[in-house]
Amino acid sequence: MPQIAGLTSAETVELFRRYVIGNYNRYPVNLVRGEGSHVWDSEGNRYLDLFPGWGCNLLGHCPPHVVRAVQEQVATLIHVPNTWHMDVQGEWAKLLSERSFGGQAFFCNSGTEANEAAIKLARLHGKGKYKIITFTGGFHGRTLGSLTATAQPKYHEGLGPLMAGFSYAPHGDLAAVAKLIDEETCAIMVEPIQGEGGIRLPPPGFLQGLRKLADDHKLLLIFDEVQTGCGRTGEWFGYQHYGVTPDIMTLAKALCGGIAGGAMLTTPQIAPSLRPGTHAATFGGNPIAARAGIASIEMIEQEGLLDSAKQLGQIFERRFRKLQKECDLVTDVRVVGTMVGLELAVDGTPVVKGCLDRKLLINCTHSTVIRLLPAMNLPEDQAEEGCDILAEVIKSLPRQ
Ligand SMILES: *Cc1c(COP(=O)(O)O)cnc(C)c1O
């Protein structure tokens, strides 16, 4: 038996240097345990985590209700193929359908896979129409279809030729979308709120305008809710803030309370275009993911966490508006529930480092946007504590 775990951070860094491909920038810290919004490293340091699991741990680390459900499921039935029915997968689909637009689900394991399913469904449903319009600053994943949908040149470098049939409009620009639509267009794909792009909110009327363009030209409207979905914004799904319903919605990240899982939902009218033989995912909708997904929904409802997310949003909004008044390095504050963006006039990398030194975990995206994706059940005193540290770090940044 090889010895597992029990290593120091330095020993773990060395293992990675030798045996793990270096495609991530990693902190030289070995995390070994998590509970709520705290994680511990192998040296016993405790960190306050306002970016738990890169957005996946929306219910905090090791949410007890999800842990119990998974423990029970893993000892009962781990995996069976999708050539069988599984009551847990059916029940999970029902819960998601009832909380969204009454559609049907296809299950997979990640965000990029959910978007690949959406792209294939849009093309199959388009019956020969194949072009999809997406938006600058968007992020849809790393496999080649989703990557092509991601209108950010830095992620495309060295990987061409990419997929044919995608065109990009500036985010928020309805006139540009209208110009890109032609006889071969089948869909428009957008995040209701851009996440990786820097917590960018849709300009007023933008999503409504996309809905109208889609209806007028018989296109499918695809919302990538991988980051905005599953309660993150204080509604079940981001689109519910805007009164605009998509034809296809994709989910992952927080969908299963930290367990890997993804889903694509569409209306019962469109769903039949994904006929047997057109698409599949071996692990998609497996009993463990399904139980974790069900348990996540139950926990959010039993603990009133949609309201908690809204209240947390108000705390972050208040604290960061105040900070913006006090500190001219903060140029914008964008908060929807537990999606929090703080735009800086300077590079945010030293802020992330300064917070790490003070045992606070945050993220910086697009060089200048401090991004927090805290758990919905983050206690309010921990939210205030995180804001205190972040404010202190930003105020102490060296001035040019
Ligand atoms: C993270 C993310 C993805 C990709 O999800 P993976 O699970 O990493 O494949 C896609 N879309 C959005 C909006 C995301 O935030």
Side-chain angles (χ1 to χ4, degrees):
M1 270 284 286
Q3 192 191 342
I4 52 159
L7 301 181
T8 65
S9 286
E11 287 165 341
T12 308
V13 167
E14 180 56 17
L15 268 185
F16 272 68
R17 196 187 63 75
R18 285 207 200 174
Y19 299 114
V20 180
I21 293 177
N23 64 309
Y24 299 100
N25 287 315
R26 297 176 191 264
Y27 302 112
V29 174
N30 174 32
L31 295 180
V32 294
R33 188 167 76 83
E35 188 183 327
S37 288
H38 286 117
V39 281
W40 285 262
D41 66 20
S42 46
E43 282 65 42
N45 295 300
R46 189 183 81 165
Y47 302 81
L48 176 59
D49 194 353
L50 296 189
F51 199 66
W54 206 274
C56 299
N57 299 344
L58 181 56
L59 306 177
H61 291 274
C62 301
H65 187 65
V66 176
V67 168
R68 274 192 301 272
V70 169
Q71 281 174 336
E72 196 181 284
Q73 187 60 49
V74 82
T76 307
L77 186 67
I78 292 179
H79 180 66
V80 288
N82 279 304
T83 44
W84 303 91
H85 290 82
M86 291 159 247
D87 52 5
V88 283
Q89 187 184 122
E91 187 64 29
W92 187 23
K94 174 169 181 271
L95 295 181
L96 290 170
S97 177
E98 288 169 349
R99 280 150 193 80
S100 54
F101 46 82
Q104 297 181 340
F106 163 82
F107 291 105
C108 51
N109 310 288
S110 66
T112 200
E113 262 185 274
N115 287 330
E116 295 290 339
I119 292 165
K120 283 179 70 172
L121 175 57
R123 285 190 170 189
L124 288 166
H125 194 71
K127 297 189 171 49
K129 298 201 282 178
Y130 66 98
K131 291 181 183 168
I132 299 178
I133 299 167
T134 66
F135 295 90
T136 53
F139 185 83
H140 301 294
R142 302 290 198 149
T143 54
L144 285 166
S146 302
L147 182 71
T148 309
T150 296
Q152 299 196 51
K154 66 176 179 188
Y155 293 131
H156 294 174
E157 260 169 47
L159 293 168
L162 296 180
M163 245 177 101
F166 284 84
S167 56
Y168 311 131
H171 185 238
D173 189 341
L174 288 171
V177 179
K179 261 198 215 140
L180 289 172
I181 297 171
D182 66 24
E183 287 304 305
E184 291 170 322
T185 308
C186 66
I188 300 169
M189 181 167 172
V190 69
E191 295 157 83
I193 300 167
Q194 288 189 338
E196 193 270 354
I199 316 291
R200 309 265 167 207
L201 310 186
F206 178 53
L207 298 179
Q208 292 82 350
L210 291 181
R211 181 70 268 177
K212 181 158 191 322
L213 281 171
D215 291 343
D216 290 351
H217 295 89
K218 299 197 162 44
L219 315 178
L220 299 183
L221 183 59
I222 304 169
F223 281 173
D224 177 343
E225 294 253 14
V226 169
Q227 195 161 140
T228 48
C230 308
R232 163 75 58 205
T233 65
E235 299 287 344
W236 276 113
F237 304 104
Y239 75 81
Q240 291 164 340
H241 289 273
Y242 303 99
V244 177
T245 307
D247 302 299
I248 299 176
M249 165 170 84
T250 56
L251 302 171
K253 289 211 166 88
L255 181 62
C256 304
I259 297 277
M264 175 193 70
L265 275 80
T266 189
T267 65
Q269 291 71 43
I270 297 164
S273 292
L274 212 62
R275 309 178 304 283
T278 56
H279 198 49
T282 300
F283 271 122
N286 67 77
I288 294 174
R291 275 299 291 277
I294 293 169
S296 298
I297 292 171
E298 287 171 350
M299 184 167 158
I300 288 170
E301 292 186 341
Q302 284 162 13
E303 300 185 14
L305 296 182
L306 291 175
D307 283 340
S308 306
K310 290 193 187 104
Q311 278 158 27
L312 281 170
Q314 287 171 11
I315 292 176
F316 286 109
E317 175 102 35
R318 171 173 54 73
R319 289 294 308 262
F320 292 147
R321 289 278 170 219
K322 182 162 167 284
L323 181 63
Q324 188 182 7
K325 284 207 190 82
E326 293 164 358
C327 180
D328 60 359
L329 291 180
V330 178
T331 56
D332 197 16
V333 174
R334 299 185 286 270
V335 179
V336 186
T338 55
M339 269 187 110
V340 182
L342 201 61
E343 178 109 36
L344 302 179
V346 293
D347 179 37
T349 316
V351 178
V352 177
K353 175 75 174 60
C355 288
L356 180 61
D357 289 343
R358 291 165 175 79
K359 306 284 182 277
L360 173 69
L361 306 186
I362 62 165
N363 170 256
C364 173
T365 185
H366 280 242
S367 338
T368 57
V369 181
I370 299 300
R371 176 170 53 152
L372 310 180
L373 294 172
M376 301 167 89
N377 53 2
L378 172 72
E380 294 191 359
D381 60 327
Q382 290 175 20
E384 300 278 1
E385 182 194 339
C387 292
D388 289 343
I389 297 171
L390 193 50
E392 190 185 298
V393 170
I394 290 174
K395 284 178 180 171
S396 68
L397 284 177
R399 300 290 173 141
Q400 276 90 349

